[in-house]
Coordinates of all heavy atoms in Angstrom, one line a residue:
E8 N -3.3 12.2 27.8 CA -4.5 11.9 27.2 C -4.3 11.4 25.7 O -3.9 12.2 24.9 CB -5.4 13.1 27.2 CG -6.9 12.9 26.7 CD -7.8 12.2 27.7 OE1 -7.3 11.7 28.7 OE2 -8.9 12.0 27.3
G9 N -4.4 10.1 25.5 CA -4.2 9.6 24.2 C -5.3 9.9 23.2 O -6.4 10.3 23.6
P10 N -5.1 9.7 21.9 CA -6.2 9.9 21.0 C -7.3 8.9 21.2 O -7.1 7.8 21.7 CB -5.5 9.7 19.6 CG -4.3 8.9 19.9 CD -3.9 9.2 21.3
G11 N -8.5 9.2 20.8 CA -9.7 8.4 21.1 C -9.7 7.2 20.2 O -10.4 6.2 20.5
V12 N -9.0 7.2 19.1 CA -9.0 6.0 18.2 C -7.8 5.1 18.5 O -6.8 5.6 18.9 CB -8.9 6.4 16.7 CG1 -10.3 6.7 16.1 CG2 -7.9 7.6 16.5
H13 N -8.0 3.8 18.3 CA -6.9 2.9 18.4 C -6.1 2.9 17.1 O -6.7 2.7 16.0 CB -7.4 1.5 18.7 CG -8.0 1.4 20.1 ND1 -7.2 1.4 21.2 CD2 -9.3 1.3 20.5 CE1 -8.0 1.3 22.3 NE2 -9.2 1.3 21.9
I14 N -4.9 3.1 17.2 CA -4.0 3.1 16.0 C -4.1 1.9 15.2 O -4.2 1.9 14.0 CB -2.5 3.3 16.4 CG1 -2.3 4.7 17.2 CG2 -1.6 3.3 15.2 CD1 -2.6 5.9 16.4
E15 N -4.2 0.7 15.9 CA -4.3 -0.6 15.2 C -5.6 -0.6 14.3 O -5.5 -1.0 13.1 CB -4.3 -1.8 16.1 CG -3.0 -2.0 16.9 CD -2.9 -1.1 18.1 OE1 -3.8 -0.3 18.4 OE2 -1.9 -1.2 18.8
D16 N -6.7 -0.2 14.8 CA -7.9 -0.2 14.1 C -7.9 0.8 12.9 O -8.3 0.5 11.8 CB -9.1 0.3 15.0 CG -9.4 -0.7 16.1 OD1 -8.9 -1.9 16.0 OD2 -10.0 -0.3 17.1
L17 N -7.3 1.9 13.2 CA -7.1 2.9 12.1 C -6.2 2.4 11.0 O -6.6 2.5 9.8 CB -6.4 4.2 12.7 CG -6.3 5.4 11.8 CD1 -7.7 6.0 11.6 CD2 -5.4 6.4 12.5
W18 N -5.2 1.7 11.4 CA -4.2 1.1 10.4 C -4.9 0.0 9.6 O -4.8 -0.1 8.4 CB -3.0 0.7 11.0 CG -2.1 -0.1 10.1 CD1 -1.7 -1.4 10.3 CD2 -1.5 0.4 8.9 NE1 -0.9 -1.8 9.2 CE2 -0.7 -0.7 8.4 CE3 -1.5 1.6 8.2 CZ2 0.0 -0.6 7.2 CZ3 -0.8 1.7 7.0 CH2 -0.1 0.6 6.5
L19 N -5.7 -0.8 10.3 CA -6.4 -1.9 9.6 C -7.3 -1.4 8.5 O -7.4 -1.9 7.4 CB -7.1 -2.8 10.5 CG -6.2 -3.8 11.4 CD1 -7.0 -4.5 12.4 CD2 -5.4 -4.7 10.4
T20 N -8.0 -0.3 8.9 CA -8.9 0.3 7.9 C -8.2 0.9 6.7 O -8.6 0.7 5.6 CB -9.7 1.5 8.6 OG1 -10.3 1.0 9.8 CG2 -10.7 2.1 7.7
L21 N -7.1 1.5 7.0 CA -6.2 2.1 5.9 C -5.7 0.9 5.0 O -5.6 1.0 3.8 CB -5.1 2.9 6.5 CG -5.3 4.4 6.6 CD1 -4.0 5.0 7.2 CD2 -5.6 5.0 5.3
K22 N -5.3 -0.1 5.7 CA -4.6 -1.2 5.0 C -5.6 -1.9 4.0 O -5.2 -2.3 2.9 CB -4.2 -2.3 6.1 CG -3.1 -3.1 5.6 CD -2.6 -4.0 6.8 CE -2.2 -5.3 6.2 NZ -1.8 -6.3 7.3
I23 N -6.9 -2.0 4.4 CA -7.9 -2.5 3.5 C -8.0 -1.6 2.3 O -8.0 -2.2 1.1 CB -9.3 -2.6 4.2 CG1 -9.2 -3.7 5.3 CG2 -10.4 -2.8 3.2 CD1 -10.4 -3.6 6.3
K24 N -8.0 -0.3 2.4 CA -8.0 0.6 1.3 C -6.8 0.4 0.4 O -6.8 0.4 -0.8 CB -8.0 2.1 1.8 CG -9.4 2.7 1.7 CD -9.3 4.2 1.6 CE -10.6 4.9 1.4 NZ -11.7 4.1 0.7
L25 N -5.6 0.3 1.1 CA -4.3 0.2 0.3 C -4.2 -1.2 -0.4 O -3.5 -1.3 -1.4 CB -3.2 0.3 1.3 CG -3.0 1.7 2.0 CD1 -1.9 1.6 3.1 CD2 -2.6 2.7 0.9
S26 N -4.9 -2.2 0.0 CA -4.8 -3.5 -0.5 C -5.8 -3.9 -1.6 O -5.7 -4.9 -2.2 CB -4.9 -4.5 0.6 OG -3.9 -4.3 1.6
H27 N -6.7 -3.0 -1.8 CA -7.8 -3.4 -2.8 C -8.0 -2.3 -3.9 O -8.1 -1.1 -3.5 CB -9.1 -3.6 -2.1 CG -9.1 -4.8 -1.2 ND1 -8.7 -4.7 0.1 CD2 -9.4 -6.1 -1.4 CE1 -8.7 -5.9 0.7 NE2 -9.1 -6.8 -0.2
E28 N -8.0 -2.7 -5.1 CA -8.2 -1.8 -6.2 C -9.7 -1.4 -6.1 O -10.5 -1.9 -5.3 CB -8.0 -2.6 -7.5 CG -6.5 -3.0 -7.6 CD -6.1 -3.5 -9.0 OE1 -7.0 -4.1 -9.7 OE2 -5.0 -3.2 -9.4
P29 N -10.1 -0.3 -6.8 CA -9.4 0.4 -7.9 C -8.3 1.2 -7.3 O -8.2 1.6 -6.1 CB -10.5 1.2 -8.5 CG -11.4 1.5 -7.4 CD -11.5 0.2 -6.6
W30 N -7.3 1.6 -8.2 CA -6.2 2.4 -7.7 C -6.5 3.7 -7.1 O -5.8 4.2 -6.2 CB -5.2 2.6 -8.9 CG -5.6 3.6 -9.9 CD1 -6.3 3.4 -11.0 CD2 -5.3 5.0 -9.8 NE1 -6.5 4.6 -11.7 CE2 -5.9 5.6 -11.0 CE3 -4.6 5.8 -8.9 CZ2 -5.8 7.0 -11.2 CZ3 -4.6 7.2 -9.2 CH2 -5.2 7.8 -10.3
Q31 N -7.7 4.3 -7.5 CA -8.1 5.6 -6.9 C -8.3 5.4 -5.4 O -7.9 6.3 -4.6 CB -9.4 6.1 -7.5 CG -9.2 6.6 -8.9 CD -9.5 5.5 -10.0 OE1 -9.4 4.3 -9.7 NE2 -9.8 5.9 -11.2
Q32 N -8.8 4.3 -5.0 CA -9.0 4.0 -3.6 C -7.7 3.8 -2.8 O -7.5 4.2 -1.7 CB -9.9 2.7 -3.4 CG -11.4 2.9 -3.8 CD -12.1 4.1 -3.0 OE1 -12.0 4.1 -1.8 NE2 -12.7 5.0 -3.8
Q33 N -6.8 3.1 -3.5 CA -5.5 2.9 -2.9 C -4.7 4.3 -2.8 O -4.1 4.5 -1.8 CB -4.7 1.9 -3.8 CG -5.3 0.6 -3.8 CD -4.6 -0.4 -4.9 OE1 -4.4 0.0 -6.0 NE2 -4.3 -1.6 -4.4
Y34 N -4.9 5.1 -3.8 CA -4.3 6.4 -3.7 C -4.9 7.3 -2.6 O -4.1 7.9 -1.8 CB -4.6 7.2 -5.1 CG -3.8 8.5 -5.2 CD1 -2.5 8.5 -5.6 CD2 -4.5 9.7 -4.9 CE1 -1.8 9.7 -5.7 CE2 -3.8 10.9 -5.0 CZ -2.4 10.9 -5.4 OH -1.7 12.1 -5.5
I35 N -6.2 7.2 -2.4 CA -6.8 7.9 -1.2 C -6.2 7.3 0.1 O -5.9 8.1 1.0 CB -8.4 7.7 -1.2 CG1 -9.0 8.5 -2.4 CG2 -9.0 8.1 0.1 CD1 -10.4 8.2 -2.7
G36 N -6.0 6.0 0.2 CA -5.4 5.4 1.4 C -4.1 6.0 1.6 O -3.7 6.3 2.8
L37 N -3.3 6.1 0.6 CA -1.9 6.7 0.7 C -2.0 8.1 1.2 O -1.2 8.5 2.0 CB -1.1 6.6 -0.6 CG -0.7 5.2 -1.0 CD1 -0.2 5.2 -2.5 CD2 0.4 4.6 -0.1
C38 N -2.9 8.9 0.6 CA -3.0 10.3 1.0 C -3.4 10.4 2.5 O -2.9 11.3 3.2 CB -4.1 11.0 0.1 SG -3.5 11.2 -1.6
L39 N -4.3 9.6 2.9 CA -4.8 9.6 4.3 C -3.6 9.2 5.2 O -3.4 9.8 6.3 CB -5.9 8.6 4.5 CG -7.3 9.0 3.9 CD1 -8.2 7.8 4.0 CD2 -7.8 10.1 4.7
L40 N -2.8 8.2 4.8 CA -1.7 7.8 5.6 C -0.7 8.9 5.7 O -0.2 9.2 6.8 CB -1.0 6.5 5.0 CG 0.2 6.0 5.7 CD1 0.0 5.7 7.2 CD2 0.7 4.7 5.0
Q41 N -0.4 9.6 4.6 CA 0.5 10.7 4.5 C 0.0 11.8 5.5 O 0.8 12.4 6.2 CB 0.6 11.2 3.1 CG 1.8 12.1 2.9 CD 2.0 12.4 1.4 OE1 1.1 12.4 0.6 NE2 3.2 12.6 1.0
A42 N -1.2 12.1 5.4 CA -1.8 13.1 6.3 C -1.6 12.8 7.8 O -1.3 13.6 8.6 CB -3.3 13.4 6.0
L43 N -1.9 11.5 8.1 CA -1.7 11.1 9.5 C -0.3 11.2 10.0 O 0.0 11.5 11.1 CB -2.3 9.7 9.7 CG -3.8 9.5 9.5 CD1 -4.2 8.0 9.4 CD2 -4.5 10.2 10.6
L44 N 0.6 10.8 9.1 CA 2.1 10.9 9.4 C 2.5 12.3 9.7 O 3.3 12.5 10.6 CB 2.9 10.3 8.3 CG 2.8 8.8 8.0 CD1 3.6 8.4 6.8 CD2 3.3 8.0 9.2
G45 N 1.9 13.2 9.0 CA 2.2 14.6 9.2 C 1.3 15.4 10.2 O 1.3 16.6 10.2
C46 N 0.6 14.6 10.9 CA -0.4 15.1 11.9 C 0.3 16.1 12.9 O 1.4 15.8 13.3 CB -1.0 14.0 12.7 SG -2.1 14.5 13.9
H47 N -0.4 17.2 13.2 CA 0.2 18.2 14.1 C 0.4 17.6 15.5 O 1.2 18.1 16.3 CB -0.6 19.5 14.2 CG -2.0 19.2 14.7 ND1 -2.3 19.3 16.0 CD2 -3.2 18.9 14.0 CE1 -3.6 19.0 16.2 NE2 -4.2 18.7 15.0
N48 N -0.4 16.6 15.8 CA -0.2 15.9 17.1 C 1.0 14.9 16.9 O 0.8 13.8 16.4 CB -1.5 15.1 17.5 CG -1.3 14.4 18.8 OD1 -0.2 14.0 19.2 ND2 -2.4 14.1 19.5
K49 N 2.2 15.3 17.3 CA 3.4 14.5 17.1 C 3.4 13.1 17.6 O 3.8 12.1 17.0 CB 4.6 15.2 17.6 CG 4.9 16.5 16.9 CD 5.6 16.3 15.5 CE 5.9 17.6 14.8 NZ 4.8 18.1 14.0
T50 N 2.8 12.9 18.8 CA 2.7 11.6 19.4 C 1.9 10.7 18.6 O 2.2 9.5 18.4 CB 2.1 11.8 20.9 OG1 2.7 12.8 21.5 CG2 2.3 10.5 21.7
F51 N 0.7 11.2 18.1 CA -0.2 10.5 17.3 C 0.5 10.1 16.0 O 0.5 9.0 15.5 CB -1.4 11.3 17.0 CG -2.5 10.6 16.2 CD1 -3.2 9.6 16.8 CD2 -2.7 11.0 14.9 CE1 -4.2 8.9 16.0 CE2 -3.7 10.3 14.2 CZ -4.4 9.3 14.7
G52 N 1.1 11.1 15.3 CA 1.8 10.8 14.1 C 2.9 9.8 14.2 O 3.0 8.9 13.4
Q53 N 3.6 9.8 15.3 CA 4.7 8.8 15.6 C 4.1 7.4 15.8 O 4.6 6.4 15.3 CB 5.5 9.2 16.8 CG 6.7 8.3 17.0 CD 7.7 8.3 15.9 OE1 8.1 9.3 15.3 NE2 8.1 7.1 15.4
A54 N 3.0 7.4 16.5 CA 2.3 6.1 16.7 C 1.8 5.5 15.4 O 2.0 4.3 15.2 CB 1.1 6.3 17.7
V55 N 1.3 6.3 14.5 CA 0.9 5.8 13.2 C 2.1 5.3 12.4 O 2.0 4.3 11.8 CB 0.1 7.0 12.4 CG1 -0.1 6.5 11.0 CG2 -1.2 7.3 13.1
R56 N 3.2 6.1 12.5 CA 4.4 5.7 11.8 C 4.9 4.4 12.3 O 5.3 3.5 11.5 CB 5.5 6.8 11.9 CG 6.8 6.4 11.3 CD 7.8 7.6 11.4 NE 7.5 8.6 10.4 CZ 7.2 9.8 10.6 NH1 7.1 10.3 11.8 NH2 7.0 10.6 9.6
D57 N 4.9 4.2 13.6 CA 5.4 2.9 14.2 C 4.5 1.8 13.7 O 5.0 0.7 13.3 CB 5.4 3.0 15.7 CG 6.5 3.9 16.2 OD1 7.4 4.2 15.5 OD2 6.4 4.2 17.4
Q58 N 3.2 2.0 13.7 CA 2.3 0.9 13.3 C 2.4 0.6 11.9 O 2.6 -0.6 11.5 CB 0.9 1.3 13.6 CG -0.2 0.3 13.4 CD -0.1 -0.9 14.3 OE1 0.2 -0.7 15.5 NE2 -0.3 -2.1 13.8
A59 N 2.4 1.6 11.0 CA 2.5 1.4 9.6 C 3.9 0.9 9.2 O 4.0 0.1 8.2 CB 2.2 2.7 8.8
G60 N 4.9 1.3 9.9 CA 6.3 0.9 9.6 C 6.5 -0.6 9.8 O 7.3 -1.2 9.1
K61 N 5.9 -1.1 10.8 CA 6.0 -2.5 11.2 C 5.3 -3.4 10.1 O 5.6 -4.6 10.1 CB 5.3 -2.8 12.6 CG 6.2 -2.4 13.7 CD 5.5 -2.8 15.0 CE 4.2 -2.2 15.3 NZ 3.8 -2.1 16.7
D62 N 4.5 -2.8 9.4 CA 3.6 -3.6 8.5 C 3.4 -2.9 7.2 O 2.3 -2.7 6.7 CB 2.2 -3.7 9.2 CG 1.3 -4.6 8.5 OD1 1.7 -5.4 7.7 OD2 0.1 -4.5 8.8
S63 N 4.6 -2.5 6.6 CA 4.5 -1.6 5.4 C 4.4 -2.3 4.1 O 4.6 -1.7 3.0 CB 5.7 -0.6 5.4 OG 6.9 -1.4 5.3
G64 N 4.2 -3.6 4.1 CA 4.1 -4.4 2.9 C 3.2 -3.9 1.8 O 3.5 -3.9 0.7
C65 N 2.0 -3.5 2.3 CA 1.0 -3.0 1.4 C 1.4 -1.7 0.7 O 1.1 -1.5 -0.5 CB -0.4 -2.9 2.0 SG -0.4 -1.9 3.5
V66 N 2.2 -0.9 1.4 CA 2.7 0.3 0.8 C 3.8 0.0 -0.2 O 3.9 0.5 -1.3 CB 3.2 1.3 1.8 CG1 3.8 2.6 1.2 CG2 2.1 1.7 2.8
Q67 N 4.7 -1.0 0.2 CA 5.8 -1.4 -0.7 C 5.2 -2.0 -2.0 O 5.7 -1.7 -3.1 CB 6.6 -2.5 0.0 CG 7.5 -1.8 1.1 CD 8.2 -2.9 2.0 OE1 8.2 -4.0 1.7 NE2 8.8 -2.4 3.1
N68 N 4.1 -2.8 -1.9 CA 3.5 -3.4 -3.1 C 3.1 -2.3 -4.0 O 3.2 -2.5 -5.3 CB 2.3 -4.2 -2.7 CG 2.6 -5.5 -1.9 OD1 3.8 -5.9 -1.9 ND2 1.7 -6.1 -1.3
L69 N 2.6 -1.2 -3.5 CA 2.1 -0.1 -4.4 C 3.2 0.6 -5.1 O 3.0 1.3 -6.1 CB 1.2 0.8 -3.6 CG -0.1 0.2 -3.1 CD1 -0.9 1.2 -2.3 CD2 -1.0 -0.4 -4.2
C70 N 4.4 0.5 -4.6 CA 5.5 1.2 -5.2 C 5.8 0.6 -6.6 O 6.4 1.3 -7.5 CB 6.8 1.0 -4.4 SG 6.8 2.0 -2.9
S71 N 5.4 -0.6 -6.9 CA 5.6 -1.2 -8.2 C 4.3 -1.3 -9.0 O 4.1 -2.0 -9.9 CB 6.2 -2.6 -8.0 OG 5.4 -3.4 -7.2
A72 N 3.3 -0.5 -8.6 CA 2.0 -0.4 -9.3 C 2.2 0.0 -10.7 O 3.1 0.8 -11.0 CB 1.0 0.5 -8.5
Q73 N 1.3 -0.4 -11.6 CA 1.3 0.0 -13.0 C 1.1 1.4 -13.1 O 1.6 2.1 -14.0 CB 0.3 -0.8 -13.8 CG 0.5 -2.3 -13.9 CD 1.8 -2.6 -14.7 OE1 2.0 -2.1 -15.8 NE2 2.7 -3.3 -14.1
N74 N 0.2 2.0 -12.3 CA -0.2 3.4 -12.4 C 0.9 4.3 -11.8 O 1.3 4.1 -10.6 CB -1.5 3.6 -11.6 CG -2.0 5.0 -11.8 OD1 -1.5 5.9 -11.2 ND2 -3.1 5.1 -12.5
A75 N 1.5 5.1 -12.6 CA 2.6 6.0 -12.2 C 2.2 6.9 -11.1 O 3.0 7.1 -10.1 CB 3.1 6.8 -13.4
T76 N 1.0 7.5 -11.1 CA 0.6 8.4 -10.0 C 0.6 7.6 -8.7 O 1.1 8.1 -7.7 CB -0.8 8.9 -10.3 OG1 -0.9 9.4 -11.6 CG2 -1.3 10.0 -9.3
L77 N 0.1 6.4 -8.7 CA 0.0 5.6 -7.5 C 1.4 5.2 -7.0 O 1.7 5.3 -5.8 CB -0.9 4.4 -7.8 CG -1.2 3.5 -6.6 CD1 -2.0 4.2 -5.5 CD2 -2.0 2.3 -7.1
S78 N 2.2 4.7 -7.9 CA 3.5 4.2 -7.5 C 4.4 5.4 -6.9 O 5.1 5.2 -6.0 CB 4.2 3.5 -8.6 OG 4.4 4.3 -9.7
T79 N 4.3 6.5 -7.6 CA 5.1 7.7 -7.1 C 4.6 8.1 -5.7 O 5.5 8.3 -4.8 CB 4.9 8.9 -8.0 OG1 5.3 8.5 -9.4 CG2 5.8 10.1 -7.6
K80 N 3.3 8.1 -5.5 CA 2.8 8.5 -4.1 C 3.2 7.4 -3.1 O 3.6 7.8 -2.0 CB 1.3 8.6 -4.2 CG 0.6 8.8 -2.9 CD 0.9 10.1 -2.2 CE 0.1 11.3 -2.7 NZ 0.4 12.5 -1.9
A81 N 3.2 6.2 -3.5 CA 3.6 5.1 -2.6 C 5.0 5.2 -2.2 O 5.4 5.1 -1.0 CB 3.3 3.7 -3.2
K82 N 5.9 5.5 -3.1 CA 7.3 5.7 -2.8 C 7.6 6.9 -1.9 O 8.4 6.8 -1.0 CB 8.1 5.9 -4.1 CG 8.3 4.6 -4.9 CD 8.9 4.9 -6.3 CE 8.8 3.7 -7.2 NZ 8.8 4.0 -8.6
N83 N 6.8 7.9 -2.1 CA 6.9 9.1 -1.3 C 6.5 8.8 0.2 O 7.2 9.1 1.1 CB 5.9 10.1 -1.9 CG 6.2 11.5 -1.3 OD1 6.3 11.7 -0.1 ND2 6.2 12.5 -2.3
V84 N 5.4 8.1 0.3 CA 4.9 7.7 1.7 C 5.9 6.7 2.3 O 6.2 6.8 3.5 CB 3.5 7.1 1.6 CG1 3.1 6.6 2.9 CG2 2.5 8.2 1.1
L85 N 6.4 5.8 1.5 CA 7.3 4.8 2.1 C 8.6 5.4 2.6 O 9.1 5.1 3.6 CB 7.6 3.7 1.0 CG 8.3 2.5 1.5 CD1 7.5 1.7 2.6 CD2 8.7 1.6 0.4
S86 N 9.1 6.4 1.9 CA 10.3 7.1 2.3 C 10.1 7.9 3.6 O 10.9 7.9 4.5 CB 10.8 8.1 1.2 OG 10.0 9.2 1.1
K87 N 8.9 8.4 3.8 CA 8.5 9.0 5.1 C 8.5 8.0 6.2 O 9.0 8.3 7.3 CB 7.1 9.7 5.0 CG 7.1 11.0 4.3 CD 5.8 11.7 4.4 CE 5.8 13.1 4.0 NZ 6.3 13.3 2.6
L88 N 7.9 6.8 5.9 CA 7.9 5.8 6.9 C 9.3 5.3 7.2 O 9.6 5.2 8.4 CB 7.1 4.6 6.3 CG 5.6 4.6 6.4 CD1 5.0 3.3 5.8 CD2 5.1 4.8 7.8
N89 N 10.1 5.1 6.2 CA 11.5 4.6 6.4 C 12.3 5.6 7.2 O 13.1 5.2 8.1 CB 12.1 4.3 5.1 CG 11.5 3.0 4.5 OD1 10.9 2.2 5.2 ND2 11.6 2.9 3.2
R90 N 12.1 6.9 7.0 CA 12.9 7.9 7.8 C 12.5 7.7 9.2 O 13.4 7.8 10.1 CB 12.5 9.3 7.3 CG 13.4 9.8 6.2 CD 13.5 11.3 6.2 NE 12.2 11.9 6.0 CZ 11.6 12.1 4.8 NH1 12.2 11.6 3.7 NH2 10.4 12.6 4.7
G91 N 11.3 7.5 9.5 CA 10.9 7.4 10.9 C 11.3 6.1 11.5 O 11.3 5.9 12.7
Q92 N 11.5 5.1 10.6 CA 11.8 3.7 11.1 C 13.3 3.4 11.1 O 13.7 2.3 11.5 CB 11.2 2.7 10.1 CG 9.7 2.6 10.2 CD 9.3 2.0 11.6 OE1 9.8 1.1 12.0 NE2 8.3 2.6 12.2
A93 N 14.2 4.4 10.8 CA 15.6 4.1 10.7 C 16.1 3.5 12.0 O 16.9 2.6 11.9 CB 16.3 5.4 10.3
Q94 N 15.7 4.0 13.1 CA 16.3 3.5 14.3 C 15.8 2.1 14.6 O 16.5 1.3 15.2 CB 15.9 4.4 15.5 CG 14.4 4.5 15.9 CD 13.7 5.6 15.1 OE1 14.1 5.9 13.9 NE2 12.6 6.1 15.6
H95 N 14.6 1.7 14.1 CA 14.1 0.4 14.3 C 14.8 -0.6 13.4 O 15.2 -1.7 13.7 CB 12.6 0.3 14.0 CG 11.8 1.1 15.0 ND1 11.7 0.9 16.3 CD2 11.0 2.2 14.7 CE1 10.9 1.8 16.9 NE2 10.5 2.6 15.9
A96 N 15.1 -0.1 12.1 CA 15.8 -1.0 11.1 C 17.2 -1.4 11.7 O 17.6 -2.5 11.4 CB 15.9 -0.2 9.8
A97 N 17.8 -0.5 12.4 CA 19.1 -0.7 12.9 C 19.1 -1.9 13.9 O 20.0 -2.7 14.0 CB 19.6 0.5 13.7
R98 N 17.9 -2.2 14.5 CA 17.7 -3.3 15.4 C 17.2 -4.6 14.6 O 16.9 -5.6 15.2 CB 16.7 -3.0 16.5 CG 17.3 -1.9 17.4 CD 16.6 -2.0 18.8 NE 15.1 -1.7 18.6 CZ 14.6 -0.5 18.8 NH1 15.3 0.5 19.1 NH2 13.3 -0.4 18.7
G99 N 17.1 -4.4 13.3 CA 16.7 -5.6 12.5 C 15.2 -5.9 12.5 O 14.8 -6.9 12.1
A100 N 14.5 -4.9 12.9 CA 13.0 -5.1 12.9 C 12.4 -5.3 11.6 O 11.4 -6.0 11.4 CB 12.3 -3.9 13.6
Q101 N 13.1 -4.8 10.5 CA 12.5 -4.9 9.1 C 12.4 -6.4 8.7 O 11.5 -6.7 7.9 CB 13.3 -4.2 8.1 CG 13.5 -2.7 8.4 CD 12.1 -1.9 8.4 OE1 11.4 -2.0 9.4 NE2 11.8 -1.2 7.3
G102 N 13.3 -7.2 9.2 CA 13.3 -8.6 8.8 C 12.2 -9.4 9.4 O 12.0 -10.6 9.0
H103 N 11.4 -8.9 10.3 CA 10.4 -9.7 11.0 C 9.0 -9.0 10.9 O 8.5 -8.5 11.9 CB 10.8 -9.9 12.4 CG 12.1 -10.4 12.6 ND1 12.4 -11.8 12.4 CD2 13.3 -9.9 13.0 CE1 13.7 -12.0 12.6 NE2 14.3 -10.8 13.0
P104 N 8.4 -9.0 9.7 CA 7.1 -8.4 9.6 C 6.1 -9.3 10.4 O 6.2 -10.5 10.5 CB 6.7 -8.5 8.1 CG 7.6 -9.6 7.5 CD 8.8 -9.6 8.4
N105 N 5.1 -8.6 11.0 CA 4.1 -9.3 11.8 C 2.9 -9.6 10.9 O 2.2 -8.6 10.6 CB 3.7 -8.5 13.0 CG 4.8 -8.2 13.9 OD1 5.7 -9.0 14.0 ND2 4.8 -7.1 14.5
P106 N 2.7 -10.8 10.4 CA 1.5 -11.1 9.6 C 0.2 -10.8 10.5 O 0.1 -11.3 11.6 CB 1.6 -12.5 9.2 CG 2.6 -13.1 10.1 CD 3.4 -12.0 10.7
Q107 N -0.7 -10.1 9.9 CA -2.0 -9.8 10.6 C -2.9 -11.0 10.4 O -3.1 -11.4 9.2 CB -2.6 -8.5 10.1 CG -1.8 -7.3 10.4 CD -1.9 -6.9 11.9 OE1 -2.8 -7.4 12.6 NE2 -0.9 -6.2 12.3
P108 N -3.6 -11.5 11.4 CA -4.6 -12.5 11.2 C -5.8 -11.9 10.4 O -6.2 -10.8 10.6 CB -5.1 -12.9 12.6 CG -4.6 -11.8 13.5 CD -3.4 -11.2 12.8
Q109 N -6.3 -12.7 9.4 CA -7.4 -12.2 8.6 C -8.7 -12.3 9.3 O -8.9 -13.4 9.9 CB -7.5 -12.9 7.3 CG -6.3 -12.6 6.4 CD -6.2 -11.1 6.1 OE1 -7.1 -10.4 5.8 NE2 -5.0 -10.6 6.2

């Protein structure tokens, strides 16, 4: 029995938050993503990690944010994503981001 939400829809919603200022909203987006990655439902957490890891540009962008609180949180979340993505990176998946149609 899979979760009732589609991971893609969930990620697109988060991505909108992560991509638009003010920084407080972007920070909330990172906190939500972090919470989902650490979800007690491991299958769900892994699905979120896979989806976000394939398309982590918006998180990477925030790593160089002017706001130190935001950039620190972004680096933290990105390292969690990368840990889960290590096996994919070995296959060269990082070099082929999938642009999302707007």
Side-chain angles (χ1 to χ4, degrees):
E8 186 74 357
V12 274
H13 290 287
I14 300 292
E15 291 84 359
D16 296 340
L17 188 68
W18 172 240
L19 285 175
T20 305
L21 267 181
K22 205 175 145 182
I23 290 166
K24 260 204 172 333
L25 293 170
S26 303
H27 296 87
E28 298 193 325
W30 76 267
Q31 290 92 336
Q32 291 301 309
Q33 294 172 312
Y34 187 83
I35 289 168
L37 288 170
C38 291
L39 288 170
L40 178 54
Q41 194 171 29
L43 291 170
L44 291 175
C46 178
H47 62 89
N48 179 335
K49 293 284 179 271
T50 313
F51 182 73
Q53 186 58 49
V55 171
R56 176 176 281 118
D57 287 346
Q58 184 67 38
K61 283 187 298 209
D62 186 20
S63 60
C65 54
V66 179
Q67 286 168 12
N68 291 345
L69 294 179
C70 289
S71 55
Q73 292 298 305
N74 185 291
T76 309
L77 186 60
S78 60
T79 304
K80 174 63 87 178
K82 286 171 189 158
N83 196 311
V84 173
L85 192 62
S86 73
K87 282 190 168 54
L88 279 179
N89 289 340
R90 267 206 301 279
Q92 286 295 316
Q94 66 275 26
H95 297 296
R98 293 202 297 265
Q101 299 302 76
H103 306 286
N105 300 327
Q107 293 289 339
Q109 291 303 317

